[in-house]
Amino acid sequence: MKAAEIVVVAEMQATAGNADALRAVLMAAVAPSNAEAGCIQYRLHEDRESPGKFLFYEIWQDKAAIDFHCETPHFKALVAQSAALAGPLEIKMLRALSD
């Protein structure tokens, strides 16, 4: 992993009865996010022990790539549409200490 690369872990918990709808909203952002020039990896996961709890694991080329991502229509749609389906989006930006 290169020094400028940033790992992002973003978590969101669906509110009661909204797991399927939230899953669809989140999945809609995966392909366009992976197609962005600065995206190295953008993967959606669901907690096996807590259905409806979703986690994005992302690797971005640098902070500029993340800034660009946050301005894309698909990311803005994810944020807007998930607001009524889930609790707050929790985002952590990490730097890798090992491969």
Side-chain angles (χ1 to χ4, degrees):
M1 185 167 275
K2 297 178 184 167
E5 290 178 356
I6 300 170
V7 173
V8 175
V9 176
E11 294 183 65
M12 187 177 292
Q13 176 68 53
T15 52
N18 288 320
D20 291 339
L22 181 60
R23 185 181 301 105
V25 166
L26 301 180
M27 284 296 300
V30 173
S33 296
N34 272 309
E36 291 175 38
C39 181
I40 297 166
Q41 185 175 79
Y42 192 89
R43 296 186 66 192
L44 177 61
H45 303 77
E46 185 170 5
D47 191 321
R48 289 179 178 264
E49 296 179 12
S50 182
K53 184 171 188 175
F54 298 95
L55 181 141
F56 279 108
Y57 179 82
E58 312 166 18
I59 304 175
W60 296 93
Q61 186 175 341
D62 52 27
K63 180 72 166 70
I66 294 172
D67 292 343
F68 176 84
H69 172 66
C70 291
E71 295 301 319
T72 60
H74 53 271
F75 180 78
K76 288 182 176 184
L78 179 156
V79 171
Q81 294 170 10
S82 65
L85 303 172
L89 176 63
E90 297 178 29
I91 299 173
K92 295 177 184 167
M93 292 194 191
L94 311 169
R95 65 183 161 95
L97 299 178
S98 65
D99 284 335

